[in-house]
Structures are given as structure tokens and as C-alpha cells.
């Protein structure tokens, strides 16, 4: 049984926080997991910026709902889902991704929750479980899946290392160099080819 685990932002969707930064005029929100390895610190900084600017939960939900998939992402996802099981494993939030799921064909996804305060502010966030990405991979492996993973950021490294096969996609050199033996894919076509080569080779070796 074959499972492909994909990061979401930077892989299938643009970085939602960069979209929020553009829409709100707050450049500090543009920092992502490509810039900050510590996700807890990153989220604390984001929430502080939102509170200082008086931007509430409903405001960022409205902006996030307008995000469109990266060019070719939906077609890529449709193609690989015809061949393999696919799960999206993200450090984004269900409040962001649920309104966007229809744009990606309703794939299953695993992510966190963004908390709304009593006054409508962004009060914090709740992880689905700490360090969830490699844990998801290992859980699928324990169920008998052969897992291929793909991502682009610091927070994907654990997932990529835990998987049976993996590749970077859209990753900057500073991150791809941390696992130098992994393939580096510039687009969805290249990633689709890597996934196919991996599962085909494993099937032949079985």
C-alpha cells in the first residue's frame, strides 16, 4: 500500500501568511517556516503582530479564504490521487484549509487549530499533536503503508527523514542543502515523476 504525504503551503498553495502580509500591509507576517525553524516562536510573533495591529480572527479568515492553489497544483493532486493514497500533512490550520479544501478536490489533511478569543482576536493556536509531521509518517508506516513525502521548509525535514522516500519541491537552497541526497523538484511534474519512480522501483524490488 502506497501513501504520499505532502506539505501544503509552498507545495500546493501559496504561503497563506505571505498573502496575509500583503493584504494587511504588515510585512512582519511574511516570515514563514522557510525563515524560522522554531514554529512556536514563529506563531507567537505572528499573533503578537496581529494583536498590535488590531486584526482579528474573522479578518484573517476572510483573506485566507480567497487564496488560490498554485498553478497546476489541483491537476497534479488529481493525477497522483488516481494512483496512490494521499494525505496533506501541514503546520497550517483547519480554519485556513477547510474553506480551501474544495479548490484542491477535498483531499484528507492533518493540521492544527487557530484559536479565536472572546473578543474576536486571534488568541493562540493548538497543535494537533507536537511535531506531527514525522509522527504522521510513522503512523502510516505502522499501518503497512510505504510512504513518500515532499515538502519545502524547515518544518518538513522530520517528515522527509522519516519517510521511506522523499523529495524537496520549491525548496530554497538553504533548506534543500540540509538533506543533500534528496531529489530537488522545481515543479509538480518533476515531483510526480519522482513519486512514480520511487513506488515503481519498490514494487519491482518486492
Amino acid at each position: 500500500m502506497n501513501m504520499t504525504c505532502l506539505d501544503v503551503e509552498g507545495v500546493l498553495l501559496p504561503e497563506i501568511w505571505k498573502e496575509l502580509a500583503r493584504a494587511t500591509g504588515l510585512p512582519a507576517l511574511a516570515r514563514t517556516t522557510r525563515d524560522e525553524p522554531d514554529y512556536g516562536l514563529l506563531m507567537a510573533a505572528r499573533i503578537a503582530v496581529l494583536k498590535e495591529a488590531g486584526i482579528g480572527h474573522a479578518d484573517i479568515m476572510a483573506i485566507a479564504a480567497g487564496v488560490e492553489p498554485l498553478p497546476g497544483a489541483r491537476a497534479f493532486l488529481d493525477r497522483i490521487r488516481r494512483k496512490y493514497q494521499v494525505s496533506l500533512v501541514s503546520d497550517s490550520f483547519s480554519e485556513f484549509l477547510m474553506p480551501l479544501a474544495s479548490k484542491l478536490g477535498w483531499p484528507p489533511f492533518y493540521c492544527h487549530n487557530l484559536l479565536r478569543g472572546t473578543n474576536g482576536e486571534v488568541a493562540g493556536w493548538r497543535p494537533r499533536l507536537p511535531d506531527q509531521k514525522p509522527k504522521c509518517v510513522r503512523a502510516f508506516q505502522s499501518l503497512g503503508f510505504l510512504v513518500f513525502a515532499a515538502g519545502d521548509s524547515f518544518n518538513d525535514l522530520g517528515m522527509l527523514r522519516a519517510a521511506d522516500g522523499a523529495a524537496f519541491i520549491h525548496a530554497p537552497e538553504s533548506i534543500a542543502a540540509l538533506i543533500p541526497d534528496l531529489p530537488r523538484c522545481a515543479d509538480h511534474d518533476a515531483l510526480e515523476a519522482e513519486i512514480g519512480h520511487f513506488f515503481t522501483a519498490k514494487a519491482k524490488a518486492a
Side-chain angles (χ1 to χ4, degrees):
M1 299 176 72
N2 299 328
M3 173 68 73
T4 299
C5 290
L6 301 174
D7 179 37
V8 179
E9 294 183 50
V11 175
L12 300 170
L13 297 173
E15 294 285 352
I16 294 174
W17 288 95
K18 285 184 177 291
E19 299 299 313
L20 294 173
R22 280 191 281 270
T24 61
L26 297 171
L29 293 178
R31 283 179 59 80
T32 72
T33 51
R34 291 184 178 185
D35 308 303
E36 174 54 67
D38 189 319
Y39 193 71
L41 288 178
L42 180 62
M43 281 306 302
R46 288 167 168 172
I47 291 167
V49 169
L50 293 172
K51 287 183 177 179
E52 183 176 352
I55 295 172
H57 191 280
D59 300 319
I60 64 171
M61 292 303 109
I63 297 167
V67 170
E68 295 295 329
L70 293 171
R74 169 65 187 270
F76 157 75
L77 200 53
D78 287 346
R79 289 193 303 271
I80 63 170
R81 290 178 73 191
R82 294 188 191 108
K83 302 174 185 177
Y84 321 110
Q85 294 194 55
V86 176
S87 293
L88 307 188
V89 186
S90 174
D91 278 332
S92 189
F93 302 96
S94 61
E95 291 78 9
F96 286 171
L97 297 187
M98 185 61 76
L100 302 176
S102 64
K103 300 179 183 182
L104 293 171
W106 296 104
F109 59 83
Y110 304 87
C111 58
H112 308 306
N113 289 108
L114 199 60
L115 305 180
R116 183 181 186 277
T118 55
N119 295 321
E121 77 277 16
V122 178
W125 67 288
R126 180 185 299 116
R128 199 180 68 82
L129 73 166
D131 198 25
Q132 71 153 353
K133 291 191 173 191
K135 290 177 181 176
C136 284
V137 168
R138 289 192 285 268
F140 287 130
Q141 289 167 332
S142 73
L143 294 171
F145 286 99
L146 188 68
V147 178
F148 188 98
D152 71 313
S153 298
F154 282 115
N155 63 329
D156 296 317
L157 297 177
M159 176 174 75
L160 300 180
R161 291 183 174 118
D164 301 290
F168 287 108
I169 177 170
H170 306 148
E173 173 62 27
S174 59
I175 292 173
L178 296 175
I179 313 182
D181 56 328
L182 283 194
R184 305 178 187 189
C185 301
D187 55 37
H188 295 114
D189 289 342
L191 178 57
E192 184 176 358
E194 287 292 340
I195 295 169
H197 291 158
F198 172 75
F199 286 130
T200 297
K202 290 296 184 180
K204 288 179 179 179

